[in-house]
Amino acid sequence: MKSHLLCASRPMLCCCCVLLCVFYPPSRLRPSDGARRRCLVLAVSEMLWRAGEHETATLAITSGRSHFVPSGHYKSEGLLEKVTCFTADSLNALQWLLEEHIQQFESGSFGCLLFCVSAVLSRSIAKVREDMDVSSNTLIGAHGYCTQELVNLLLCGQAASNVFDGQVQLDAATLLKGVARRGSVGLLSLFEHHDICQVGSHLKTPLFPIWVVCSESHFSTLFGLQRELATNQDGRSRGPREFDLYYYDGLANQQQEIRLSVSVGLAAAFQEDNDPELTPPLEQCIRTKWKDAIVRWNDTEPIL
């Protein structure tokens, strides 16, 4: 279970460093350790504060010792019996708590798990269940993979079951719940390319040009350094346009910089038909937002 949780939450944690790249151009893609740590504190605190509806948040850390002896159906996991929770009633207090314990989220085996536990407790178990289409849904699905509910909880502060905007009333008894408002970080999904879902503008056009990418059974991160990339609600260009996107896959332990040059508009009209089986899934995800975009991988081998 831990490995798949890592797939879901690691890109969201690394988005804090992306924020530094977007808004502090001199630092670009080489932030100092101090700047990276500060951005991690700010990003995690913002996510937890949003889950707590900007009123309260809970930070779960490990104390290093067991607080109870597992018995009955509960088996020791090496973490939950050692968790200590702190409640913050202001964003400043939450940031101070995180600064004191940020090392638990930076390294070790439990950083992502503690982050997910903190998000659930900040939202509250009761509200997490209310957010879902069906209260019996789970945050961890088959084979230990995270569900869309967990992804939305971390991205948007609510454990909605769908990726479209708002709500859809199917009939008198069935209400499908999507994303209520624009988030700071968005989502692009290969499932949309395959017509399995429709990602709404709240996720496709976030406040910042940062997207978690759902592709090939795990999550990665795509971001740009131009703030205006986040302002085009319909994903269509009003004329020829070129920009760079940067890609990061933490699960792959990526070491090299991957910079993609994207052309949208007139240049895309000259795109030749390629074999769909040879089209990188990441390009297909990009085209769910920028239609008919041409993607150049520059000096990097395309990821198939």
Side-chain angles (χ1 to χ4, degrees):
M1 181 179 74
K2 285 188 291 186
S3 62
H4 297 309
L5 272 175
L6 185 65
C7 296
S9 52
R10 190 169 186 175
M12 298 170 201
L13 289 174
C14 83
C15 287
C16 67
C17 297
V18 178
L19 288 172
L20 181 69
C21 298
V22 173
F23 294 103
Y24 296 91
S27 300
R28 287 295 180 178
L29 304 176
R30 302 290 184 270
S32 66
D33 288 344
R36 175 187 51 77
R37 175 171 291 184
R38 178 58 180 166
C39 284
L40 179 60
V41 168
L42 295 176
V44 173
S45 60
E46 179 186 341
M47 293 178 188
L48 298 183
W49 193 242
R50 184 186 299 117
E53 298 183 331
H54 302 93
E55 295 180 355
T56 184
T58 299
L59 183 67
I61 63 168
T62 175
S63 64
R65 58 184 179 84
S66 297
H67 300 293
F68 61 90
V69 178
S71 61
H73 293 292
Y74 178 74
K75 305 296 183 182
S76 175
E77 298 178 347
L79 175 64
L80 295 182
E81 64 270 19
K82 300 178 181 179
V83 163
T84 296
C85 294
F86 296 94
T87 300
D89 57 6
S90 73
L91 182 57
N92 286 337
L94 178 59
Q95 292 173 356
W96 181 84
L97 283 170
L98 273 163
E99 287 173 352
E100 291 294 307
H101 302 285
I102 195 61
Q103 70 280 357
Q104 293 200 18
F105 298 88
E106 285 185 300
S107 59
S109 304
F110 300 124
C112 289
L113 283 169
L114 289 171
F115 176 50
C116 292
V117 170
S118 298
V120 171
L121 296 179
S122 295
R123 182 65 179 159
S124 83
I125 294 175
K127 288 184 178 179
V128 166
R129 292 191 182 280
E130 290 176 4
D131 291 338
M132 300 173 175
D133 286 350
V134 180
S135 61
S136 59
N137 285 359
T138 63
L139 299 178
I140 303 297
H143 311 296
Y145 283 95
C146 71
T147 63
Q148 189 63 49
E149 285 86 349
L150 177 57
V151 175
N152 284 344
L153 174 63
L154 299 180
L155 282 178
C156 309
Q158 294 181 321
S161 299
N162 304 283
V163 293
F164 51 71
D165 294 346
Q167 300 180 343
V168 175
Q169 187 78 50
L170 287 185
D171 52 49
T174 306
L175 178 65
L176 302 182
K177 301 173 184 178
V179 179
R181 63 188 63 86
R182 251 179 119 187
S184 297
V185 175
L187 175 75
L188 300 178
S189 176
L190 188 62
F191 290 116
E192 181 173 9
H193 167 76
H194 293 304
D195 294 324
I196 297 174
C197 70
Q198 178 68 49
V199 180
S201 63
H202 289 337
L203 284 175
K204 196 174 290 182
T205 308
L207 296 175
F208 305 121
I210 309 166
W211 295 267
V212 170
V213 179
C214 175
S215 175
E216 301 300 287
S217 300
H218 75 284
F219 296 83
S220 49
T221 307
L222 191 70
F223 65 95
L225 301 181
Q226 297 171 274
R227 180 68 183 270
E228 56 268 26
L229 293 177
T231 62
N232 191 0
Q233 289 283 350
D234 60 6
R236 296 181 182 276
S237 174
R238 293 180 173 83
R241 189 155 56 101
E242 295 187 356
F243 53 88
D244 288 339
L245 294 174
Y246 293 84
Y247 179 69
Y248 178 71
D249 187 345
L251 187 65
N253 293 318
Q254 178 183 323
Q255 299 297 319
Q256 68 178 134
E257 177 184 296
I258 297 180
R259 179 178 60 86
L260 308 175
S261 295
V262 181
S263 298
V264 181
L266 181 62
F270 298 98
Q271 183 177 9
E272 296 181 359
D273 293 332
N274 295 319
D275 186 347
E277 295 184 359
L278 298 179
T279 301
L282 181 58
E283 292 187 23
Q284 295 169 336
C285 289
I286 290 173
R287 291 186 186 115
T288 63
K289 176 170 174 59
W290 292 282
K291 310 299 181 182
D292 303 319
I294 293 177
V295 180
R296 297 186 301 277
W297 289 74
N298 299 312
D299 296 326
T300 304
E301 189 71 22
I303 301 173
L304 297 174

